[in-house]
Amino acid sequence: EAGVAQSPRYKIIEKRQSVAFWCNPISGHATLYWYQQILGQGPKLLIQFQNNGVVDDSQLPKDRFSAERLKGVDSTLKIQPAKLEDSAVYLCASSIWGHEQFFGPGTRLTVL
Amino acid sequence: AQSVTQLDSQVPVFEEAPVELRCNYSSSVSVYLFWYVQYPNQGLQLLLKYLSGSTLVKGINGFEAEFNKSQTSFHLRKPSVHISDTAEYFCAVSTKTSGSRLTFGEGTQLTVNP
């Protein structure tokens, strides 16, 4: 069974630029999550989708972050414009509702 | 809302020694508890989970954890560690109403020295 795929694995941008991350969940997993993991901290949930609807985006900085999940499969997370404090690893995970989450390898973002 | 506290940010041990990584949680409702491991430049891998039933949970790679409701703890243990166990370990909690959403602790860096 293929795991959660994410791209790119690494991204370096200047502050105020835009960036987008892509996630392809495990086939059949209706629930998809985006987490932000700042160096030295645990992952923090940014947004949770159930199919293509948003379940929880209470911790998403909506002035600069956006996410979508078209057709209830792949998802993209965008930051526009990026700030220095957005430097982090962005993790995507998927699950069957109420069950174990499976994580992708993450995208490491560096904002200069 | 729930929260997780991992009491040690770093734990250095020698190879073949036992280790315990401590985790306490706070929640007003029944919880599900998890331990994840993260190797450098990789995502998180589930080590073990407590959903219900026996309070002693066995996971992969020889790890086990015990759920203690009265002390609101879920400490992770391994009787004999290997160099390859060097990694970051995260304790996490979710509840029945949170739809699998996880709240993570800050992590414990386990370093196994020869």
Side-chain angles (χ1 to χ4, degrees), chain A residues 21 36 38 61 64-65 79-90 109-111:
Chain A
F21 313 127
Q36 180 192 58
I38 293 172
R64 297 183 300 106
F65 285 65
I79 308 175
Q80 180 180 12
K83 293 185 175 181
L84 296 177
E85 58 262 35
D86 298 332
S87 293
V89 175
Y90 291 84
L109 173 67
T110 302
V111 182

Side-chain angles (χ1 to χ4, degrees), chain B residues 23-75:
Chain B
C23 172
N24 285 94
Y25 68 91
S26 173
S27 175
S28 58
V29 298
S30 295
V31 296
Y32 305 133
L33 293 158
F34 305 81
W35 275 100
Y36 283 85
V37 61
Q38 187 175 36
Y39 299 102
N41 299 315
Q42 294 186 28
L44 280 74
Q45 179 184 6
L46 182 68
L47 276 178
L48 48 78
K49 59 186 176 184
Y50 170 79
L51 302 180
S52 64
S54 173
T55 56
L56 183 62
V57 180
K58 294 189 183 297
I60 62 172
N61 301 340
F63 284 93
E64 64 179 33
E66 185 155 20
F67 171 56
N68 188 318
K69 189 175 181 179
S70 63
Q71 297 187 12
T72 61
S73 68
F74 190 56
H75 300 332

Side-chain angles (χ1 to χ4, degrees), chain A residues 9 33 35 37 41-43 45 48 56 91 97-101 103-104 108, chain B residues 34 36 38 41-44 46 49 90 98-102 104-107:
Chain A
R9 291 295 314 276
Y33 314 78
Y35 291 86
Q37 185 179 17
Q41 298 182 19
L45 181 71
Q48 177 183 351
D56 182 356
L91 295 164
W97 180 267
H99 291 76
E100 173 189 346
Q101 291 185 32
F103 285 81
R108 182 176 299 276
Chain B
F34 305 81
Y36 283 85
Q38 187 175 36
N41 299 315
Q42 294 186 28
L44 280 74
L46 182 68
K49 59 186 176 184
F90 292 95
S98 70
S100 306
R101 188 181 76 198
L102 293 169
F104 286 88
E106 294 294 289

Side-chain angles (χ1 to χ4, degrees), chain A residues 37-104:
Chain A
Q37 185 179 17
I38 293 172
L39 185 64
Q41 298 182 19
K44 182 186 78 173
L45 181 71
L46 292 175
I47 189 167
Q48 177 183 351
F49 292 94
Q50 178 67 13
N51 295 309
N52 60 349
V54 175
V55 174
D56 182 356
D57 64 356
S58 58
Q59 298 192 83
L60 187 73
K62 298 180 185 65
D63 57 334
R64 297 183 300 106
F65 285 65
S66 65
E68 61 181 8
R69 190 181 184 197
L70 299 176
K71 300 181 181 179
V73 182
D74 293 4
S75 178
T76 56
L77 176 69
K78 297 179 182 178
I79 308 175
Q80 180 180 12
K83 293 185 175 181
L84 296 177
E85 58 262 35
D86 298 332
S87 293
V89 175
Y90 291 84
L91 295 164
C92 180
S94 70
S95 76
I96 297 171
W97 180 267
H99 291 76
E100 173 189 346
Q101 291 185 32
F102 292 84
F103 285 81

